[in-house]
Amino acid sequence: MLLAIDVGNTQTVLGLYELGDPANLETAEGGLVGHWRAATNGDATADELAVLIDGFLAVESWELLGDVSGVAVASGVPRVTAALREMVAHYFDFVPVTIEPGVRSGIPIRYDDPREVGADRIANAVGAVALYGGPTIVVDFGTGTTFDVISEACEYLGGVISPGIEISLEALFERAAALRSVELTAPRNVIGRSTAESLQSGAIYGYAAQVDGLCRRIMAEIGPSTVVGTGGLAPLISPHTACVQHVQPWLTLHGLRTVWYKNVEGHPDVPSGDGPRGG
């Protein structure tokens, strides 16, 4: 089994994949036998992470030490990255495949400084190329809302970073004493009939309009593209957009799995030849 770990600033998503069957790579959820989400704790030790992950796996009758034969990590939190490395070094006889400079992603990075590209953004791009090829735009609704752009030649070109929906609302509530927190759900109409509905309209329809506007501007530069939504809020916002064609909740995990295949030699679950590691 492969344990794929996507460490974000706010939340960490884990997925457990069956290995060895190339047919599983045809979809992001193919071979995904379990997935979990936890708040990211930058102070967690290697042992605490091991206990947390083992507890998640046990819910589905899996064991960290008995069933996991590979680990792939995309992390935007350096302290958690270090703790995960320590955890794998302590409990396993292999090293994790971590998306960082020197790791084979299979796609050229055309950023001015490739080291600046977040690991999750690379994983998203790799996953999108594996599923759709290029040109593709990946919209990730996370702590920040990011747009990652892949060319027709399957090169990572760059993208856009904007404040995420939840942190934007939190900032608004902190600075406007008369406003209160509201449930993040679509209101009845764009024109809100109450303060709560007006806030919901700005959050849902406002961000949907931002997605459509930025995607149109990107496509004016690279041409018509496949647009993929991912991240925790993608199912909420994407239905209200005109541009998003596919919602892939497990795109980052699929990209991690793809990168793992490209970087592991001699593993019993990695077929010889090009197989799923081609690219």
Side-chain angles (χ1 to χ4, degrees):
M1 297 285 186
L2 172 68
L3 180 64
I5 307 174
D6 172 27
V7 182
N9 291 299
T10 305
Q11 293 187 332
T12 295
V13 179
L14 305 97
L16 189 67
Y17 280 106
E18 290 181 330
L19 294 171
D21 185 355
N24 285 339
L25 297 176
E26 296 176 1
T27 63
E29 65 274 13
L32 183 65
V33 298
H35 53 83
W36 306 271
R37 187 180 298 268
T40 298
N41 179 6
D43 295 322
T45 66
D47 292 329
E48 287 172 331
L49 288 172
V51 170
L52 175 68
I53 295 171
D54 194 45
F56 282 140
L57 297 180
V59 172
E60 304 292 340
S61 300
W62 303 105
E63 295 181 357
L64 179 63
L65 297 183
D67 295 302
V68 174
S69 59
V71 174
V73 177
S75 174
V77 184
R79 293 176 66 179
V80 178
T81 308
L84 285 170
R85 289 185 194 277
E86 183 181 343
M87 182 197 78
V88 174
H90 181 74
Y91 291 101
F92 298 99
D93 59 357
F94 56 80
V95 296
V97 172
T98 304
I99 295 183
E100 59 188 356
V103 168
R104 294 194 298 272
S105 66
I107 60 173
I109 308 296
R110 302 304 185 198
Y111 229 52
D112 289 343
D113 184 354
R115 294 171 297 181
E116 292 183 355
V117 185
D120 58 333
R121 300 180 71 186
I122 293 176
N124 284 342
V126 171
V129 166
L131 295 175
Y132 306 105
T136 305
I137 303 168
V138 178
V139 186
D140 191 339
F141 299 90
T143 304
T145 302
T146 61
F147 298 71
D148 296 305
V149 184
I150 299 101
S151 72
E152 185 175 6
C154 296
E155 306 164 304
Y156 182 88
L157 299 180
V160 178
I161 302 174
S162 65
I165 301 170
E166 291 177 324
I167 62 172
S168 295
L169 285 174
E170 289 170 4
L172 179 62
F173 298 145
E174 287 177 1
R175 288 166 173 77
L179 299 181
R180 66 185 188 278
S181 298
V182 297
E183 181 184 2
L184 196 54
T185 186
R188 296 171 293 177
N189 303 291
V190 174
I191 302 173
R193 301 292 183 177
S194 65
T195 300
E197 286 189 346
S198 297
L199 286 166
Q200 290 168 334
S201 180
I204 305 300
Y205 301 129
Y207 268 85
Q210 180 194 68
V211 168
D212 286 337
L214 283 169
C215 285
R216 283 194 292 266
R217 288 175 179 266
I218 292 168
M219 284 189 270
E221 296 183 12
I222 69 169
S225 306
T226 301
V227 181
V228 185
T230 192
L233 293 177
L236 177 64
I237 305 300
S238 296
H240 303 288
T241 69
C243 289
V244 175
Q245 300 159 272
H246 307 279
V247 176
Q248 290 285 357
W250 315 120
L251 184 67
T252 313
L253 298 182
H254 182 56
L256 274 168
R257 172 173 57 173
T258 304
V259 170
W260 184 86
Y261 269 114
K262 292 178 183 294
N263 285 270
V264 176
E265 302 287 349
H267 191 284
D269 291 316
V270 176
S272 59
D274 289 339
R277 301 198 307 106

